[in-house]
Amino acid sequence: GNSVTQMEGPVTLSEEAFLTINCTYTATGYPSLFWYVQYPGEGLQLLLKATKADDKGSNKGFEATYRKETTSFHLEKGSVQVSDSAVYFCALSFGNEKLTFGTGTRLTIIP
Amino acid sequence: DAGITQSPRHKVTETGTPVTLRCHQTENHRYMYWYRQDPGHGLRLIHYSYGVKDTDKGEVSDGYSVSRSKTEDFLLTLESATSSQTSVYFCAIRKRGVTSTDTQYFGPGTRLTVL
C-alpha cells in the first residue's frame, strides 16, 4: 500500500536557521504530494502542494520539490521564525482517493 | 477557510456511552471525511462520504458509524465509546481543483476523552 515517511522529531532550531524536514513516499504510480501545518490548538492547514514530478510548491517562504527519482518531497525554508513553530505533516493522494499522512514532525523555533 | 465547523470542540465521556460528533460545511462540497489524530500515527481515515447517504469505510472504521442525510452535515457516531477512542477527530472536505489536483481542507477538530 501507499505510505509516507517523515523525519523523526522533535526538531528544535534557532530563529533565522535553515530548515529541512525530510519526507519520502512509497506508492505505485505518481501521487499528488502535500504539506500540511498544524499550529498549537488548531486544525490542519494546507501549506503547499505539488501534483507532478519536478513541480515546486511554495507558500509563506516554505518550498518543496516533487522528486520522482528519489520519491521525496522535502520541506525547506531559508530563515525560520518563532511563528513557524508547529507540527508539519507530509501527505499523498491519488486523484479522488483519501490522503495518506506521515506521522508528523514537531518543529520548535527558539528566539 | 473552507467553511467547516465541528461540534462539540471538546467532550469528556464515559466508557460504554454513545457519542455523536458533528461536522458542518457551508460550501456544498460533495466529499467529506472523518479522521482521527493520534501520537505516532499522524491522521488516519475513519469514514468518508461521497454524497448524501453515500458513505464508505476508511482504514480504522471499527467501532464507528457515520451518516449523511444532508449535504452540509456529516455525523460520526461512537455507538459505545471505549478508551481507545480517546483522540482528536478532524473533519475534512474536498475541494475540486480547477487547474490542479483536488485538495482536502480541515475543520478545527474535536478533542474526545473517554474515561
Side-chain angles (χ1 to χ4, degrees):
Chain A
N2 304 325
S3 66
V4 175
T5 302
Q6 291 181 234
M7 66 185 293
E8 292 284 335
V11 174
T12 302
L13 295 173
S14 297
E15 204 166 21
E16 299 184 1
F18 185 88
L19 168 70
T20 300
I21 300 178
N22 290 337
C23 171
T24 58
Y25 67 89
T26 301
T28 303
Y30 304 110
S32 296
L33 300 173
F34 304 83
W35 277 102
Y36 283 85
V37 58
Q38 183 179 31
Y39 297 104
E42 299 184 11
L44 277 72
Q45 301 177 23
L46 178 67
L47 182 58
L48 52 83
K49 65 182 181 184
T51 60
K52 62 183 186 296
D54 299 324
D55 267 2
K56 177 185 285 189
S58 61
N59 186 24
K60 300 182 180 180
F62 290 90
E63 293 183 339
T65 301
Y66 190 142
R67 301 288 189 197
K68 181 180 66 174
E69 61 276 10
T70 55
T71 62
S72 64
F73 193 54
H74 304 322
L75 183 67
E76 297 182 335
K77 187 174 185 181
S79 177
V80 291
Q81 306 300 314
V82 172
S83 58
D84 294 327
S85 298
V87 181
Y88 292 81
F89 291 93
C90 185
L92 67 82
S93 75
F94 285 94
N96 297 336
E97 296 181 7
K98 70 179 182 72
L99 280 166
T100 297
F101 284 90
T103 54
T105 302
R106 182 175 300 277
L107 173 67
T108 301
I109 307 301
I110 300 171
Chain B
D1 183 2
I4 307 168
T5 57
Q6 293 184 231
S7 58
R9 294 293 313 279
H10 302 272
K11 186 171 182 66
V12 179
T13 191
E14 294 187 349
T15 298
T17 60
V19 177
T20 295
L21 308 182
R22 179 178 183 245
C23 177
H24 179 79
Q25 58 143 330
T26 59
E27 298 181 354
N28 289 321
H29 296 291
R30 180 181 171 196
Y31 280 79
M32 299 183 74
Y33 305 80
W34 277 108
Y35 292 85
R36 60 177 289 173
Q37 182 182 22
D38 303 291
H41 291 279
L43 276 76
R44 293 178 292 174
L45 182 66
I46 305 171
H47 282 279
Y48 67 100
S49 170
Y50 47 97
V52 173
K53 299 192 189 315
D54 292 323
T55 65
D56 206 349
K57 296 179 180 180
E59 60 186 297
V60 290
S61 59
D62 287 349
Y64 301 95
S65 63
V66 289
S67 65
R68 191 161 178 208
S69 58
K70 299 184 290 184
T71 299
E72 58 265 36
D73 289 326
F74 191 32
L75 304 181
L76 177 70
T77 297
L78 291 65
E79 300 290 349
S80 177
T82 67
S83 58
S84 65
Q85 294 176 310
T86 292
S87 186
V88 181
Y89 292 85
F90 288 100
C91 175
I93 58 89
R94 193 178 84 201
K95 280 191 177 182
R96 298 303 304 273
V98 176
T99 59
S100 66
T101 191
D102 293 358
T103 300
Q104 290 188 28
Y105 294 87
F106 288 79
T110 294
R111 182 174 296 276
L112 176 67
T113 303
V114 183
L115 301 176

